[in-house]
């Protein structure tokens, strides 16, 4: 064939589009119900933006960017990630005026000139969120990590693990002291360093921990983290919060992430079925990026999920995943003004979404307590078959009212049976 797509840049053909569309739809539903709004930015940005944001010594800026001069001799780059683009857009459009915060999500293609292999492409896609200017930092970090965890759980990701580390000392005000300790350690072991790491020793010692060279692993593993870089109190507070939310995490001290903008907690999600490329998603706190770009003091946290890797994991766990994603959507309707009822409904919806079964809930119906008749009409128009109502009486009796709009039937289901019955409806298409 005369013309071929470039290596690592693949077509998504009609035969496999359904699974992409379903995944995108579920991401919109999930993140909008968590209070995020979508943002779309240009694929191409000024090269300088990514150099400043991601860091000159990172692999991405050093060797993976698709950069070119346009006809006006401006240096442009096809975005390798979204965090810098989102920051540029939020500053340029003045979205933080009067101390406002922003919670945004995106689903978009990224470009990195890496060596293509399974799970590593040159054009790939990310689903991500950024929490910008939320001043209660551990609360924002908690929201980012719980959203990531429960979104992946709701899709049924197998062997999901969230690995966490604390970079606040390494990249905070005491950075020089802490990095000095790292330099001392690796200088004392200089004979074992490969040429790449020798360069990193002088330019950015942290990047030595990224090394995949098998001969250096035992030396890297033996770095005395607890004495050299103790965990901060902020990080410990976050761990407590995550434990209360039953998010399972694992501290991994050598997780340093490949981008230079992180200043606090960093995290990655790993899953079964990915082999060497086991990072399904990555993120962390970055409090200095907006300052670097001229946007002032703006605390931020966020993450991005790699869509290709997510699909690989899901398909290895459930080969018929693409058929299964076309599940039923349940519309939850709150028929009460009481906070207690609204909160109970929301926490149940979240629990259902986290069961790992393909229950999907429509958050349009969660926004405010309403008169049921109008909302049921809206659900019918949206093509929903089932709606599930909770009001004061139902909460007192610990039941839910499930209506099948197609069969025009309804049934009260005990709270403890709700999850099981919804699963039955999904699997057997059983009417209520
Ligand atoms: P990242 O770790 O560079 O972080 O990328 C996030 C995810 O994108 C990875 O975990 C992986 O699943 C996927 N990914 C990265 N490179 C490739 C590739 N060449 N082929 C396929 N998938 C890939 C970021 O991009 C940050 N912007 C995350 C963030 C958001 N931090 C704060 N906010």
């Amino acid at each position: 064939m005369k013309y071929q797509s470039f290596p690592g840049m693949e077509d998504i053909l009609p035969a496999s589009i359904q699974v992409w569309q379903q995944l995108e739809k579920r991401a919109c539903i999930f993140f909008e119900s968590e209070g995020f709004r979508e943002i779309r930015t240009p694929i191409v940005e000024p090269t300088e933006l990514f150099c400043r944001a991601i860091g000159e010594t990172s692999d991405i800026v050093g060797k993976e960017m698709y950069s070119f001069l346009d006809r006006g001799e401006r240096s442009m780059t096809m975005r390798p990630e979204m965090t810098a683009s989102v920051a540029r857009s939020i500053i340029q459009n003045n979205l933080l005026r009067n101390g406002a915060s922003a919670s945004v999500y995106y689903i978009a293609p990224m470009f990195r000139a890496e060596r293509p292999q399974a799970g590593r492409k040159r054009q790939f896609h990310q689903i991500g969120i950024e929490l910008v200017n939320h001043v209660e930092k551990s609360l924002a970090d908690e929201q980012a990590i719980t959203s990531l965890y429960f979104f992946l759980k709701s899709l049924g990701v197998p062997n999901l693990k969230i690995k966490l580390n604390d970079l606040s000392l390494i990249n905070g005000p005491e950075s020089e002291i802490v990095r000095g300790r790292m330099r001392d350690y690796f200088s004392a072991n200089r004979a074992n360093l490969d040429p790449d790491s020798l360069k990193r020793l002088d330019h950015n010692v942290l990047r030595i921990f990224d090394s995949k060279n098998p001969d250096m692993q035992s030396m890297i593993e033996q770095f005395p983290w607890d004495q050299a870089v103790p965990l901060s109190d902020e990080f410990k507070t976050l761990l407590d919060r995550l434990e209360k939310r039953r998010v399972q995490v694992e501290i991994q001290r050598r997780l340093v992430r490949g981008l230079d903008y992180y200043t606090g907690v960093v995290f990655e999600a790993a899953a079964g079925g990915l082999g060497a490329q086991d990072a399904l998603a990555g993120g962390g706190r970055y409090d200095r990026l907006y300052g670097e770009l001229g946007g002032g003091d703006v605390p931020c946290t966020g993450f991005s999920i790699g869509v290709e890797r997510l699909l690989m994991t899901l398909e290895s766990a459930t080969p018929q995943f693409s058929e299964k994603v076309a599940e039923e959507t349940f519309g939850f309707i709150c028929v009460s003004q009481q906070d207690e009822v609204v909160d109970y409904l929301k926490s149940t919806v979240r629990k259902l979404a986290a069961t790992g079964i393909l229950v999907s809930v429509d958050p349009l119906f969660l926004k405010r307590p309403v008169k049921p008749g109008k909302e049921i009409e809206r659900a019918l128009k949206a093509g929903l078959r089932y709606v599930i109502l909770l009001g004061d009486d139902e909460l007192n009796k610990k039941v839910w009212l499930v209506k099948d709009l197609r069969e025009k039937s309804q049934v009260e289901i005990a709270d403890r049976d709700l999850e099981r019955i919804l699963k039955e409806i999904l699997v057997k298409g059983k009417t209520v």
Side-chain angles (χ1 to χ4, degrees), residues 31 60 80-83 106 110 112 124-131 141 144-145 147-149 151-152 160-165 167 255-259 261-262 264-271 274 277-286 301-307 309-310:
F31 291 113
I60 296 180
E81 61 110 47
M82 272 294 273
T83 310
Y106 43 81
M110 310 292 149
R112 295 184 194 175
F124 60 98
H125 298 76
Q126 287 185 343
I127 297 173
I129 61 122
E130 309 292 341
L131 284 157
D141 289 329
I145 297 168
S147 300
L148 173 64
Y149 183 76
F151 178 61
L152 295 177
L160 176 62
K161 255 197 246 158
I162 304 278
K163 303 175 193 167
L164 284 184
N165 194 17
L167 297 189
L255 178 72
V256 293
R257 308 268 303 124
L259 304 100
Y261 47 60
Y262 295 111
V265 60
V266 287
F267 50 91
E268 277 184 4
L274 276 181
Q277 309 296 331
D278 81 340
L280 193 59
R285 167 156 294 281
Y286 53 100
T301 188
F303 64 77
S304 316
I305 303 168
V307 177
R309 290 188 198 176
L310 177 57

Side-chain angles (χ1 to χ4, degrees), residues 176-208:
E176 265 321 297
I177 302 173
V178 174
R179 283 168 184 255
R181 290 180 197 145
M182 290 178 173
R183 272 193 293 272
D184 291 347
Y185 176 80
F186 288 115
S187 301
N189 289 287
R190 189 176 267 275
N192 296 323
L193 291 178
D194 61 17
D196 244 7
S197 298
L198 278 171
K199 258 191 257 155
R200 290 167 165 173
L201 187 60
D202 295 328
H203 293 116
N204 190 351
V205 63
L206 197 61
R207 296 267 83 89
I208 294 180

Side-chain angles (χ1 to χ4, degrees), residues 395-424:
L395 188 64
N396 281 338
K397 284 167 41 192
K398 292 243 168 291
V399 294
W400 297 80
L401 184 62
V402 180
K403 281 178 178 285
D404 181 336
L405 302 181
R406 196 199 297 163
E407 299 291 319
K408 299 196 175 54
S409 60
Q410 64 177 47
V411 67
E412 272 186 358
I413 290 180
D415 186 50
R416 61 173 184 283
D417 295 332
L418 184 67
E419 182 186 326
R420 181 176 57 77
I421 302 238
L422 295 193
K423 277 187 195 174
E424 279 179 19

